Every structure is written in structure tokens, then in C-alpha cells.
Amino acid sequence: MGAQLPDVPPSVRSLRRTPGFAAVAILTLALGIGLATAVFTVADALLLRPLPVLHQDRLVTLWGERRDGSFDHWPFDLARARDFTPRVRALEQVAFADYYGAIPQAIRDGSQITRLRRALVSGNYFDVLGTRPLLGRTLRPADDVRGAAPVAVLSHAAWQRRFGGDPGVLGRRLLLHGSDVTYTIVGVMPQGLDFPRGTEFWAPIVPSTPPASEQYVVVDLVGRLAPGASPAAARDEVTAYLGRPDAASFEREMRGVVHTLPRLILGDTRPALFVFAAAAALLLLITCINVANLLLVRGLTRVREIAVRAAIGASRGQVIAQLLAENALLAAAGGALGLAVAAAAVQGFVAIAPAGLPRLDEVHLNVTALLGAVGITGVAMLLFALAPAVLTSRVELQQVLRSDTRQSVSRRSRLATEALVAGQVALALVVLSAAGLIARSLVELERAELALEPSHLLIGELALRYDQYDDATKQRAMLERLLPAVQAMPGVRAASPVAAVPFSGPHGWDGRFAAEGQTPDEMAANPTLNMEVVGPAYFAALDVPVLRGRAFTEADREGAPLVVMLSERAARQYWPGEDPIGKRLTMGARQRVAFTVVGVVPETRYRELREARASIYFPLAQSGFPFAPTTLAIRTGGPPSALVPALRRVVAETAPGVALASAAPFDTYLDGPLAQPRLNALLLAVFAGAAVLLAAVGLFGVMATMVRRRTRELGVRMALGATAGDVRRLVLRRGLAIAAVGAAAGLLGALLANRLLRAMLYEVSPTDIPTLAAVTALLLLIAAIATLVPARASTRIEPVVAMRVE
């Protein structure tokens, strides 16, 4: 008679007889399946789900980079972009997107000012993407010409967050505080379109830019590949264009760069997601191994039951079917509870995820996630249920019925269970080592020397009416009136304008300079420097020490000798081993403008946390840039936030047409570049903690079972003179030997797997010996604790009683 799947009730009754086992197995499965499902949900939203564009892999973005790698993102100015577009053959359509990405704009609503991030794009931008609007219409080429009425298209996230998902949003106005531009909302884009990253509304380039400023607009190219063309072909065409005979000399130093749109949107989140997916897969595997071990151990107690079934006629197939039915119930219960774990994990992820994470609003449990959970549960069942069921069903009938149960089973199962536990330890060490490296990297990043004092530092952003302050001269004059008033406020120690908010990146504020007297070849080898335009009190406001020479003063004004300050690295690059004070740097197309170096300061991490960039500083009154800084750095004597109301009032009273758009302590900005590393460390710590806990439970279970199986042997040893310490050491040696074998295998796996972490690490090697040694020692310590409990239990065995045990 063939094997038939038994009814469920006997399976339920069997599990009810061992509620402790059932509870541990279900909770273990719920943890592994739940976390794996949560990671699948996040990966589906961020990696697997296609963008709301047509043929996303045919969309590319292009710009230039210096061949020597000193400048990795050189945009096109608008004139060159328009000149290049009709020449390219690898792209069938080309649009433009502002190089600066999504820039916060001050939006006036009555007397209130809010901020929305605006991205300027060409009128054919959405046509190139192949994206259809959720409401209304997209931008059109006719919207992107001089004289066209300004229109805007909202992102889905902004529509939901700022306008409550109101379908009547079409036709509403967005009034920019800084100009007379009033945008009419004409459309809302679908969920998932987040390029440039963080965009809350898109607007056409030309109507948004005053005619006099159009020459300063710089853009990246967004194109759709022509049939049969490759991204490399488009990149080569950009390189050829930059190297054309009539190109400027700096262009000929460039080459093309191409990225597919999906990869660019995900950016630095992509490696992290792959690492999390790998960690979740390892945790699921550890979960399955753990439950498989539980089933094997449980099988030891059921050998006589299975032998009796076989003796009265049950075939081996029927026994396996019975065991699989019980295991399927465990999988179903674990999967159901795992969904609750997954829901909580996804909610927690969304709550702690960095605000700039792309497509974050799409991360939630849905039908795809539920199907994924079913698939994960099915895989888990196959992994943990089948082998134990087959092994448990293989009983030696005559030997079992002669009551030699323990020996007959242990010979088959001991090596299998111990090998499984060693495997758990190995996998746990792989996950734990990754978590350790990421945690150490975070510590190194948090300890990075800023070379400035972040406490008691307030950063304020000004919103100017550009119809009143339409050139740099008027903007500088406004700052010269405003800064003394801010400086005179109670609680203010120093105040200075700065070019941008902290950690905003260089964004085009890079330049190349020449030391006076350098040859053209020497000039070409010079590095690019981060440029800052600052007031005389800048270094006092940021508490940056002047290492040599002097800081700027009020005497460094228009008409006075032109001066600059350099960071240490910049000074060494131009004059290695020499005193830079009094030396001169030149700039300009013909290097005719010369600046005298008057001071040297350390490299700061104001622009980028991960890199202290070589910098050059210009005094505000002498800068020849077409606009003045509109961000203030203010050193306070007390809590920075307490100063905001008074600062808002002083700005309004002192500078008509200027408003304080936002103000926050420096630490608020520091949270930005630390958000993703902190998220990485937290999530991997969760995975590592769960993996180590499961491995410890598995080791404890195996050693406890070994003590039960060897009760007679241990009793005999003690009867023959073995001390409690001898027995305890015997058990501990066995448990630590299993853990050591697993740790050795895990170290080899970690050395290979940790290469995936390279892009996520800062100042830490993937093979960092102290970290690997520390996590290995920690895991072995936990293994020792997990073994110690059954080891101590073994010493409480009474020899006379033990020798009577069957």
C-alpha cells in the first residue's frame, strides 16, 4: 500500500504532547521567516520593483570626469548641452536635469515660509523617461521656452505629505519667496519616481532662470539609448565631444561617464541592500538548521513509538508522511507568526530609515511580500523538515525493541546534530563579523576629526527676494548690514556667511589654481580645491584654529590687495616643505588674477564627512563670484535652538525682502551623513544578535541532549572516581570543540564574504584582524556559556541512579 498523508488531527495531537518543543520551533521559525520576509519586502520596493518609466534599463545619465580622477562629476553648461544633443547617435532622446539636483526653495504661503525641493529639468524630461502622470499632465517642450508661464509637476510624496493627496491640487500656486515666479501645479507624478533624488516638484529650466543667469545653468544629460546602442557607446560619444578640436583646454582633460538610471537612483543604498539580503538568507539558513536539529533531537524520544508503528504494519513512507505533516504544521504556524514579525520589522525599518532613502514611501507589506513569505516558508519547510523526517524514520526495529534505543540512535544522529550546530556557529560568525566591521566603521566615522567645534553652532538659511537682490553686489551689501546686527544679538559670539549648509558636498564649488611661476605642465597637474566664500569671523564661528599666518579681517575689502587662506594639504600640494605665507596663487582663463596667501588652517569636514578636502578660502568682500552666500554660521553661548526666534526677528527687521527660511544646530546636519551608516549598523546588529542567539540555542540543545544520552556513561565515570570537575570539563570540551570547528569555518567564510562590505566601510578593512578576533572571541564565550548549563547539570548526576537508567 502506498504512503498516504495522514489526517491533520493526529499531527496536532503529536505536537500538543510536546508543547515546549512546538513553541521553541515555531518562535525560531517566526524569527527567521519574519526577518527574511521583511528584507524581501524592502528589496522588492527598492531593488526589484521597476521604476514608473518606460524600459528603465535603456535610460542613462551622462556627465564628464577628469581623466586623472581629481574631479568626478563635471556637468555641461546649457549651451554645450544643446550643442551636443543633435550630434549624439547612441541616444534617441536627450533631456537635461540640473546638476545641483533637488534644491530647497522658500515657498511663501501668506506670511508663512515653507521649503520644497525643486529640480529644474528640460521640457522633454518626462517624455524621455516615458512616465505618465498620476494626475494632470507632465512638462512639455512648450513649457521650457522664454516667456512661457511657469508650471510645476509635484512628486507623489510631496502631493501626499504637503497637500494631503488632494485630487484638486491641479491649478494651485507655488509662490517662490525669492522672486516673482509663481508656479501653477499642472500634474502629479506616480509613486516611485525620485530623480533627481529628493525632488518634491519639477519645473522647466528656462522660465525658472533669469535671462542674465542662464549662462550659469549647468546640467547632466538624461538620455534614452537608441536601438542597438550600449551605455558604453553613449559614454564614448561624450568623451569624443569633450575632446573635439575646438573644445576648451579643461574640456579636453575630461572623459565621459555613464550610469543607468536605476543604479543612479539607488546610489549607495544598493550595496547595503545586498548585504542585508545576504544576512537575512544566512539567518534563515541558521533558523532552518536550528529547527532541523530540534527535530532530530525530538526524534530520539520517538524511536520506540516509530518502531511500534513499523511493527504493526506502518510503512516507512507512512511514517515519513506523518512526520512531514507535523513539520508542515510547524512551518505554517511559524510562517503565520513570521508575518507579524515581518510587519513589525518593516514598520521599524521605515521609522528609522534615513529621510533621503529612495522610494521609502513604497516600503510596506503587500501581495508581493505575502507571496514572498509563502515562498520563504516553503523553502524553510523543505530545508528543515525533509532530512530529519527521513533520518528519524530509519529505525533498526530489532535493536530498538531490545531497548538499546540510545545507542542505536546516537550512532546515526550524533555526528549529524553536531555538524549542524557547527554550521550554525560558522554562519553566525559570518553575520557577526559583518556587524562588527560595520559597527567599527560607524565608530570611526563618528570619531572623524571635523577640525571644527560642532557644539553651540547654529546654521541658518536665508531666503532672498531676488528681484531686490539680483546681483552679488546687492547681496554682499545686505550681508554687511545683517551680520553686525546678528553679531550684536545676546548670546552670539561670532557670525559669518558660508557658501552652503554642512555636508552638502562640493556641488561645483571646486576650482583649479596655479602657483605663481608654474609652467603649463605643472599647472595641469595641480589638484582641484574646494572653494569657500566666508566672512572675517568664519574661523571664529566654526572654531577652526589658524595654524599659520592670520585670519581674514575687515580690511580685506574690495580695493585692498587680494588675499586667500589655504588648508594645510592645499598649501603642501603647492609649496611642499615651504612656508606658504606670502606666496601667490593665480586663477582665471589666463591666470592674470593673483591672490596672496595670508593664513593656513586645517582641513575641515564641513562639506563632506567622509573626506577632509583640500580647500581655499576667499573673503566675502573680495570674491568675484556672481552671487553671495545665503547661509549663516553662528557661534552661540547657549543652546543654538533657543536663538532662532530672535534671529528670525533680526533678519526681518534688518534686511527687507529677506527671511530666515530655516535654522538648525550643526548636529542636526551631522545626523544626515551618519543616518545610513547607523541604519546599516543597527540592522546588521539585529541579524547578528538573532544569528548568535539561534546558534547558542542550538549548541545548548545538542549538549543537553548529549548529557541525557550519556547519563549511564557519566554515572559510570563518576562511580570509578571521576570528579564533578572532570565531568564538567568533558562536556565543556565537547561543546567548545564543536564551536571551535564552526568558528574556524566561519572565519574562512567571513574573509570571503566581507568583501561585499567594502563600499560600506570607512577606515576599516574587510579583513580587519582586531574586529575578527573580537567577534570570534565573543562567539566562543557565548558558546561556552551555552555549554556551561548542561555541563553543570552533568555534575548533579547520582552515579547509582545513572547506572539504572535505560
Side-chain angles (χ1 to χ4, degrees):
M1 180 180 294
Q4 295 180 351
L5 189 68
D7 294 333
V8 172
S11 305
V12 174
R13 287 195 298 271
S14 177
L15 292 175
R16 287 179 63 182
R17 287 196 296 269
T18 53
F21 158 78
V24 171
I26 290 171
L27 290 174
T28 301
L29 283 170
L31 179 63
I33 292 172
L35 290 179
T37 302
V39 171
F40 175 81
T41 301
V42 175
D44 172 63
L46 274 58
L47 284 178
L48 306 178
R49 196 177 306 165
L51 300 172
V53 297
L54 181 65
H55 304 311
Q56 63 179 27
D57 291 332
R58 306 296 294 170
L59 290 170
V60 294
T61 58
L62 304 108
W63 54 75
E65 70 174 5
R66 280 185 59 88
R67 295 177 185 272
D68 62 6
S70 61
F71 193 82
D72 61 1
H73 192 158
W74 183 85
F76 288 75
D77 63 47
L78 202 54
R80 285 183 175 84
R82 289 167 174 164
D83 181 58
F84 171 74
T85 298
R87 305 185 186 207
V88 66
R89 296 291 176 265
L91 303 175
E92 62 180 3
Q93 293 176 287
V94 182
F96 312 142
D98 192 342
Y99 159 71
Y100 294 101
I103 302 299
Q105 299 294 316
I107 306 295
R108 179 174 291 282
D109 184 6
S111 61
Q112 298 296 315
I113 292 181
T114 58
R115 295 171 75 82
L116 285 176
R117 300 180 69 89
R118 179 189 69 179
L120 296 181
V121 296
S122 57
N124 66 336
Y125 177 75
F126 294 105
D127 292 337
V128 173
L129 295 185
T131 303
R132 300 177 63 85
L134 185 67
L135 292 177
R137 67 174 179 88
T138 62
L139 301 181
R140 300 167 179 164
D143 295 322
D144 194 25
V145 296
R146 189 64 60 194
V151 295
V153 174
L154 292 177
S155 71
H156 186 274
W159 177 55
Q160 291 289 332
R161 185 170 56 253
R162 300 297 184 99
F163 298 95
D166 179 12
V169 72
L170 301 181
R172 291 181 61 173
R173 304 294 182 90
L174 299 175
L175 171 62
L176 294 192
H177 172 76
S179 66
D180 286 331
V181 175
T182 300
Y183 292 106
T184 301
I185 298 173
V186 297
V188 176
M189 299 313 294
Q191 190 177 35
L193 186 63
D194 187 26
F195 185 76
R197 185 182 293 187
T199 297
E200 293 182 289
F201 75 97
W202 292 268
I205 294 173
V206 174
S208 305
T209 309
S213 301
E214 192 169 309
Q215 61 179 314
Y216 301 115
V217 175
V218 287
V219 297
D220 294 328
L221 307 180
V222 181
R224 181 171 293 278
L225 293 171
S230 67
R235 179 198 61 209
D236 293 343
E237 288 200 59
V238 173
T239 301
Y241 177 79
L242 295 172
R244 66 195 187 281
D246 61 334
S249 59
F250 72 88
E251 285 185 281
R252 291 196 291 272
E253 298 173 5
M254 303 284 177
R255 62 188 173 197
V257 176
V258 63
H259 294 277
T260 61
L261 190 65
R263 181 173 291 274
L264 191 65
I265 287 176
L266 286 171
D268 55 4
T269 64
R270 192 181 187 95
L273 283 172
F274 282 130
V275 169
F276 297 151
L282 291 178
L283 181 61
L284 183 61
L285 186 56
I286 293 172
T287 300
C288 295
I289 292 173
N290 202 312
V291 177
N293 238 340
L294 288 173
L295 292 171
L296 282 173
V297 170
R298 182 174 182 248
L300 299 179
T301 66
R302 304 183 66 186
V303 172
R304 183 176 294 278
E305 171 196 340
I306 292 170
V308 170
R309 286 177 177 271
I312 61 177
S315 68
R316 188 180 178 200
Q318 288 175 312
V319 172
I320 292 175
Q322 170 70 36
L323 296 174
L324 285 177
E326 295 175 14
N327 298 345
L329 283 175
L330 291 175
L337 186 57
L339 282 179
V341 174
V346 168
Q347 289 179 354
F349 174 83
V350 172
I352 64 175
L357 192 70
R359 309 185 76 177
L360 185 62
D361 58 337
E362 296 184 73
V363 178
H364 53 79
L365 285 176
N366 53 25
V367 173
T368 304
L370 293 176
L371 292 176
V374 172
I376 290 171
T377 302
V379 170
M381 178 181 170
L382 287 175
L383 287 173
F384 80 76
L386 186 58
V390 172
L391 287 174
T392 303
S393 68
R394 293 177 59 187
V395 297
E396 300 175 22
L397 187 59
Q398 297 299 321
Q399 193 174 25
V400 170
L401 294 180
R402 288 198 305 267
S403 299
D404 198 10
T405 301
R406 299 179 189 276
Q407 288 187 353
S408 65
V409 174
S410 67
R411 293 192 188 103
R412 291 196 307 268
S413 62
R414 181 174 62 83
L415 290 178
T417 55
E418 292 180 356
L420 288 175
V421 170
Q424 282 184 281
V425 172
L427 296 175
L429 183 58
V430 171
V431 182
L432 186 60
S433 70
L437 290 171
I438 292 295
R440 184 170 179 196
S441 176
L442 175 61
V443 170
E444 294 293 331
L445 193 59
E446 290 180 329
R447 289 178 177 174
E449 178 56 53
L450 298 176
L452 57 88
E453 178 50 55
S455 62
H456 299 290
L457 182 57
L458 180 68
I459 304 296
E461 296 183 77
L462 303 177
L464 277 61
R465 289 286 308 232
Y466 287 104
D467 53 348
Q468 299 179 33
Y469 304 98
D470 56 355
D471 61 40
T473 301
K474 294 178 182 178
Q475 295 166 12
R476 285 197 294 269
M478 177 273 296
L479 288 171
E480 288 176 357
R481 294 194 309 273
L482 177 61
L483 286 172
V486 173
Q487 184 74 56
M489 292 172 54
V492 172
R493 295 182 175 177
S496 170
V498 290
V501 298
F503 311 116
S504 56
H507 289 306
W509 285 82
D510 276 34
R512 175 169 292 181
F513 303 85
E516 196 170 46
Q518 280 189 320
T519 66
D521 289 342
E522 290 173 332
M523 290 166 51
N526 287 340
T528 56
L529 300 180
N530 172 56
M531 299 187 297
E532 299 287 356
V533 178
V534 302
Y538 173 81
F539 299 102
L542 270 66
D543 199 7
V544 176
V546 178
L547 304 176
R548 195 174 303 170
R550 66 171 177 86
F552 296 135
T553 69
E554 296 292 344
D556 298 317
R557 306 187 60 80
E558 188 175 1
L562 300 178
V563 296
V564 293
M565 296 178 67
L566 293 177
S567 68
E568 281 186 287
R569 191 190 312 159
R572 285 196 304 270
Q573 288 170 338
Y574 284 101
W575 300 286
E578 300 181 37
D579 184 359
I581 303 302
K583 298 287 199 305
R584 288 158 65 90
L585 286 175
T586 61
M587 68 176 294
R590 299 184 180 180
Q591 306 297 320
R592 290 180 176 174
V593 182
F595 300 84
T596 300
V597 178
V598 297
V600 176
V601 295
E603 271 75 29
T604 70
R605 296 176 189 266
Y606 183 86
R607 289 287 187 146
E608 297 175 275
L609 182 59
R610 284 180 171 263
E611 181 183 3
R613 306 195 69 222
S615 300
I616 183 170
Y617 299 88
F618 298 89
L620 172 66
Q622 292 185 346
S623 67
F625 293 96
F627 48 85
T630 57
T631 300
L632 300 179
I634 303 172
R635 173 66 55 184
T636 67
S641 298
L643 202 66
V644 173
L647 177 62
R648 194 180 306 278
R649 184 174 60 256
V650 167
V651 170
E653 294 172 353
T654 309
V658 180
L660 184 65
S662 67
F666 183 91
D667 288 342
T668 302
Y669 294 92
L670 186 58
D671 288 340
L674 288 174
Q676 183 70 49
R678 285 171 175 168
L679 176 67
N680 296 345
L682 177 60
L683 293 182
L684 277 176
V686 170
F687 285 122
V692 171
L693 174 63
L694 292 177
V697 169
L699 183 59
F700 169 83
V702 165
M703 298 314 298
T705 302
M706 185 196 80
V707 170
R708 288 198 302 270
R709 287 205 308 259
R710 299 176 66 179
T711 299
R712 179 189 291 271
E713 174 195 340
L714 296 176
V716 170
R717 287 175 179 268
M718 296 179 72
L720 294 176
T723 66
D726 294 332
V727 174
R728 188 163 52 243
R729 283 190 291 272
L730 173 68
V731 178
L732 276 172
R733 278 199 302 270
R734 189 62 191 170
L736 289 177
I738 296 170
V741 170
L747 274 176
L748 292 176
L751 290 173
L752 296 175
N754 287 344
R755 297 177 183 179
L756 293 172
L757 303 175
R758 193 177 299 276
M760 300 167 60
L761 298 178
Y762 173 79
E763 299 293 334
V764 177
S765 166
T767 57
D768 184 65
I769 299 301
T771 301
L772 293 178
V775 298
T776 303
L778 175 63
L779 189 59
L780 290 176
L781 175 63
I782 294 172
I785 294 172
T787 307
L788 186 61
V789 177
R792 288 171 61 89
S794 68
T795 63
R796 292 193 291 268
I797 296 174
E798 291 291 341
V800 175
V801 175
M803 287 187 289
R804 294 175 181 170
V805 173
E806 180 188 8

